[in-house]
Amino acid sequence: MKKKISIAVFIIGIITLIAGVVFLILNLNSGPKIQDGEYLVSVGEWEEVDAPGVIWRFSEIGQGTLTTNNHLNDYDFIWALEGDKIKIETDWLYTLNNEYGYRINQSENILTLIQEDSTEINFRPRSSVDTEVGEDN
């Protein structure tokens, strides 16, 4: 009886060890995950897919600039991520306070802002928008 219990404990131990090694290998190969705010800053300039020239630049955590005319006029803004919301206060002709829902797909480099009426606005890193526009010409 003791021999059967010992063999069962040994088999459970081997299975647990194999499962641990598998999870370790998966975690080591998954690459580092970066937080959303850091990712926005690391990309830098995000251009609206359907409105080239509308560019949001996240220069550092909490600060950035935006333009609606391809940098002819740049406006400073401050930003914060709170849960699934991004809050932006822009120094335009007057102060604008906007809040959007947001999603970031880091593997596909897409920033999606969701307005109150559920309209989605997609942004891509500026360099990839330039490339896509260049390919269409």
Side-chain angles (χ1 to χ4, degrees):
M1 182 69 161
K2 287 185 177 182
K3 191 174 185 179
K4 289 182 182 179
I5 293 174
S6 297
I7 292 174
V9 169
F10 178 73
I11 291 173
I12 291 172
I14 293 294
I15 291 171
T16 304
L17 178 64
I18 291 171
V21 169
V22 168
F23 282 114
L24 176 65
I25 291 171
L26 290 175
N27 284 334
L28 290 175
N29 289 333
S30 67
K33 293 184 180 179
I34 185 170
Q35 292 183 352
D36 289 345
E38 293 171 344
Y39 183 69
L40 290 172
V41 172
S42 72
V43 169
E45 289 193 341
W46 292 84
E47 188 164 17
E48 189 173 337
V49 172
D50 295 328
V54 174
I55 303 162
W56 292 23
R57 182 174 182 270
F58 296 88
S59 55
E60 60 185 87
I61 297 294
Q63 296 183 351
T65 58
L66 67 85
T67 180
T68 58
N69 55 12
N70 208 23
H71 291 300
L72 291 176
N73 301 97
D74 287 339
Y75 301 95
D76 292 327
F77 67 83
I78 57 174
W79 59 279
L81 300 176
E82 294 180 8
D84 62 348
K85 303 280 184 194
I86 183 169
K87 295 181 177 186
I88 302 199
E89 181 181 301
T90 308
D91 289 329
W92 206 282
L93 300 174
Y94 51 91
T95 302
L96 294 174
N97 290 307
N98 297 100
E99 182 175 312
Y100 303 95
Y102 83 95
R103 284 189 313 267
I104 295 177
N105 184 328
Q106 292 184 17
S107 61
E108 294 186 21
N109 291 323
I110 299 172
L111 165 63
T112 303
L113 300 181
I114 303 127
Q115 296 178 321
E116 286 183 16
D117 66 356
S118 299
T119 302
E120 294 188 356
I121 305 167
N122 291 308
F123 288 80
R124 289 207 175 260
R126 178 125 196 254
S127 59
S128 67
V129 173
D130 290 341
T131 302
E132 291 172 8
V133 170
E135 291 174 356
D136 291 342
N137 292 336

